Amino acid sequence: MGHKAGCTAIEALIPEAGKLGIKYFTVYAFSTENWKRSKDEVDGLMQLFRFYAMRLLKQAKEHNVRIRMIGDRRRFPTDIIDAINKLEDETKDNTGMTFVVAANYGGRDEIRRAAMKLAEAYVNGEVPAGAFAGADDKVPEGELTEDGFAMYLDTAGIPDPDLIIRTSGELRLSNFLTWQSAYSEIVVTDVLWPDFNKDELIKCIEEFNHRSRRFGGV
């Protein structure tokens, strides 16, 4: 019931986030560690995703939202993989907010998979020249740049998050966007995710707006 309530919260937030001018909105739906939960809970989550995928597609079309899934989808049942592919394919031309769903996602696993993809591309001579440093870059000329490595992450083409909201009062990132969160501002709220709404989102944004972001500079 808690997971179902969380989906209801997402449905309510998607159009509101778009109205607030948010360009990218990412939720952590299912982590690589969540497979350790009981079989009944995991099976229930899979059924919930099957049901919610259809509602999400309908909502995305109504609000001009583009859907992007990150994580290793290969472990999911075939019908769920098909649903993920359909969500992305049928919304790819939408021009409003991009709603990113992290499913079977873990930050460390993402980096591991990116390194494997990069190594394979390098062996096959498929790494673009732009991935390597030129004379004006901050790393030695000819070496792989951070942007070059990021081309192989699940979030390729998506900007790093400005703000990460941690609900439930937890003081950890829980393996979420490990690479991308290096300079994200983190706001912690005691509100549980099923109770998180537009008013709470605005409070977190207001807190973010009072932060001074120096990115390591003065």
Side-chain angles (χ1 to χ4, degrees), residues 10-143:
I10 292 171
E11 284 189 280
L13 277 173
I14 288 175
E16 298 300 336
K19 291 175 185 176
L20 290 170
I22 295 172
K23 300 299 183 185
Y24 293 87
F25 189 77
T26 304
V27 296
Y28 208 172
F30 191 85
S31 77
T32 49
E33 290 73 38
N34 286 157
W35 296 104
K36 300 174 185 177
R37 298 187 178 187
S38 71
K39 184 178 185 300
D40 285 345
E41 184 173 357
V42 171
D43 288 346
L45 284 167
M46 296 300 108
Q47 284 297 102
L48 185 60
F49 184 84
R50 291 182 175 99
F51 169 76
Y52 182 62
M54 294 183 289
R55 293 174 62 94
L56 181 58
L57 180 58
K58 180 175 182 291
Q59 188 179 35
K61 289 181 177 180
E62 287 177 356
H63 297 285
N64 192 30
V65 172
R66 182 168 66 113
I67 306 294
R68 176 87 172 263
M69 308 291 290
I70 61 174
D72 188 353
R73 65 190 68 177
R74 294 174 297 178
R75 188 170 177 179
F76 289 122
T78 302
D79 65 312
I80 290 182
I81 295 174
D82 291 342
I84 290 172
N85 293 337
K86 182 176 182 178
L87 280 168
E88 290 186 322
D89 183 61
E90 294 196 14
T91 65
K92 66 180 185 299
D93 295 325
N94 290 351
T95 57
M97 183 184 74
T98 297
F99 180 54
V100 185
V101 182
N104 193 29
Y105 175 86
R108 288 182 175 181
D109 182 67
E110 178 189 24
I111 294 170
R112 177 190 66 81
R113 289 185 288 104
M116 292 176 64
K117 287 186 285 187
L118 171 62
E120 182 178 359
Y122 186 82
V123 168
N124 294 330
E126 297 171 350
V127 179
F132 297 97
D136 297 328
D137 286 291
K138 60 184 178 181
V139 297
E141 188 169 358
E143 290 191 6

